[in-house]
Amino acid sequence: MAVGPLGAFLGANTPVALNARGITAMLETPGCVRRAVFDSTVGLDSLTRILDLPPGEQAQHAFARGNSFEDHVMANGASELLPILRSQLNLPVAQVRFEDLSAKKVRENLGAVPDLNATRVRLTNDLLRAMLSGTPGAPTIIRHGLTTLTIGSRTAYLEQDALALVVGGLLHIIEIKSFPFLDGRADPGKADAAGRQSAVYAMSLQQTLAGLGLNPATVSTTSLLVLPQNFSLTPVGHLLPLETRIRRLTRQLQTLPDDAALAAVLPPGLALPTLPVVTNTADPAKRRGQDIEIAKVAPAVSAAFNALPPTFGDACLSCPAFLRCRDEAARTGAVASLGSTAASACGSVGHIATALALAEGTRTPGDEAEIALAAALARAQAARSRRVS
């Protein structure tokens, strides 16, 4: 059962676990209450079929491909990773000793533990201490280590499929992705997304080291992105600077509303129904059964979605709900449908019809925002008239 300020909205649903991708998504559309509430509860990706949204970026086949490529890179003692570490990071690594702290491995080694996340965090911290203190036999790589990051009033548990490597006193972040490095170039959009995720990992590691009484500056602000070359499985390295990204994420996290602030703006009594378990299945009978369950809750979920105020703009392109919110903005005549430039110019005057009436002088400004916009539109009209004449 959900607890906390958003517990009433979440109802009996299980809250989504925050990961690096989810954290960067939360920060892509600042000021959007709609996305912030869903990102802080069930996650928009869980509602794609219920709200008829496009599938999320992390499609199941892409997830499987990514895991397969990571396993390939780490096979045979990470032998294919070694030359990349030497050439890209100038690390004199003769061999790799790594510890796998994935949930599967920890269960295999320790059996059932009361709190798996807490256990993995403790093991990661122990290995980080050993690696940074130069303990003989300490690993050079922690694979799937788990660290934490405080996000508002929540604690995010971050599994670093980004791998942590300590050589020469620095902790390096290695992010393995399966999109190709084509003709010596990584896709700029995907590389930027990987860089933002690596920045989240870096912030988490800095916070972790500070909590252990170690120097946060030990975390390198350059990460190594490992990609398949062209369409092969041969891994190649691509360096990503993180310092600017870390500073930007730090500023954004400081302004992120906590759960109590989000709960305060929810309409009274707004709550989600209990959502059905939806999986990607090829079985027609299971698919039909899921569709029946989805149809039962879709009206209530849609009503909750519509009741939350959006902040629509150019930054929304990567949001799963972009098309739905775009159509809503166009249908309601929102200034936001014209783009962020027009929305910023109009301020809190949110509808095209109102802005046009102020421009034509057929509406008497009703507040300071409308007075300011009417004056700005009058100046723009006067300037245009002078240019035409």
Side-chain angles (χ1 to χ4, degrees):
M1 185 62 66
V3 294
L6 291 173
F9 176 80
L10 185 59
N13 298 294
T14 302
V16 64
L18 281 178
N19 55 24
R21 177 173 166 265
I23 291 170
T24 59
M26 291 174 69
L27 303 174
E28 287 172 353
T29 51
C32 182
V33 172
R34 176 178 287 172
R35 181 162 191 182
V37 168
F38 278 105
D39 281 341
S40 299
T41 52
V42 294
L44 279 174
D45 283 341
S46 69
L47 303 177
T48 52
R49 279 177 61 188
I50 296 173
L51 292 176
D52 195 24
L53 306 176
E57 294 178 5
Q58 189 75 345
Q60 193 65 31
H61 67 278
F63 183 75
R65 185 173 65 245
N67 286 342
S68 176
F69 180 65
E70 182 186 332
D71 289 341
H72 172 76
V73 171
M74 296 305 299
N76 302 315
S79 59
E80 293 199 57
L81 184 61
L82 286 173
I84 300 174
L85 299 178
R86 298 188 190 110
S87 63
Q88 294 290 334
L89 296 177
N90 298 315
L91 299 178
V93 186
Q95 62 181 358
V96 168
R97 297 186 304 276
F98 63 81
E99 290 283 344
D100 188 343
L101 295 182
S102 65
K104 179 181 178 182
K105 276 293 181 183
V106 170
R107 287 194 192 97
E108 287 178 0
N109 294 334
L110 300 180
V113 293
D115 189 332
L116 184 59
N117 279 347
T119 300
R120 293 176 65 199
V121 168
R122 176 179 57 78
L123 293 172
T124 301
N125 291 347
D126 291 344
L127 290 179
L128 286 173
R129 283 194 192 94
M131 293 164 76
L132 288 170
S133 63
T135 301
T140 50
I141 286 179
I142 303 174
R143 188 181 183 193
H144 298 232
L146 197 69
T147 56
T148 62
L149 183 64
T150 302
I151 305 294
S153 53
R154 303 176 66 191
T155 297
Y157 290 89
L158 304 177
E159 180 177 279
Q160 318 241 346
D161 83 42
L163 308 170
L165 171 81
V166 174
V167 175
L170 276 181
L171 185 65
H172 298 272
I173 294 172
I174 306 169
E175 180 81 4
I176 301 175
K177 295 292 186 184
S178 61
F179 61 88
F181 193 71
L182 291 172
D183 299 323
R185 182 173 179 269
D187 180 279
K190 293 179 180 179
D192 181 61
R196 285 184 280 121
Q197 290 183 32
S198 291
V200 172
Y201 290 133
M203 292 173 63
S204 176
L205 284 167
Q206 289 172 346
Q207 194 177 98
T208 295
L209 294 188
L212 295 174
L214 302 172
N215 186 4
T218 301
V219 180
S220 173
T221 54
T222 299
S223 71
L224 176 63
L225 177 62
V226 178
L227 304 171
Q229 186 171 31
N230 297 324
F231 296 104
S232 71
L233 286 177
T234 303
V236 295
H238 178 66
L239 296 179
L240 293 172
L242 301 181
E243 192 166 355
T244 300
R245 291 181 170 98
I246 292 171
R247 286 200 300 267
R248 179 170 178 263
L249 284 170
T250 300
R251 290 194 302 270
Q252 289 177 311
L253 286 174
Q254 290 171 346
T255 61
L256 193 70
D258 60 19
D259 289 357
L262 292 174
V265 299
L266 291 179
L270 188 66
L272 288 172
T274 301
L275 304 177
V277 176
V278 178
T279 59
N280 293 321
T281 176
D283 186 321
K286 290 182 179 178
R287 182 84 178 186
R288 283 193 299 271
Q290 289 183 9
D291 288 342
I292 291 172
E293 295 303 310
I294 287 171
K296 293 177 182 177
V297 301
V301 175
S302 185
F305 182 90
N306 294 339
L308 295 172
T311 301
F312 184 74
D314 298 343
C316 298
L317 281 168
S318 60
C319 177
F322 168 71
L323 295 178
R324 183 178 177 120
C325 292
R326 182 202 62 184
D327 292 346
E328 177 188 60
R331 186 175 62 254
T332 59
V335 173
S337 64
L338 303 178
S340 293
T341 301
S344 297
C346 291
S348 61
V349 180
H351 288 87
I352 296 172
T354 303
L356 289 176
L358 291 169
E360 295 165 354
T362 58
R363 177 183 175 91
T364 301
D367 55 29
E368 290 184 3
E370 291 191 3
I371 292 170
L373 179 58
L377 292 171
R379 289 194 298 270
Q381 181 61 32
R384 181 176 181 276
S385 298
R386 286 196 297 272
R387 287 197 302 271
V388 170
S389 60

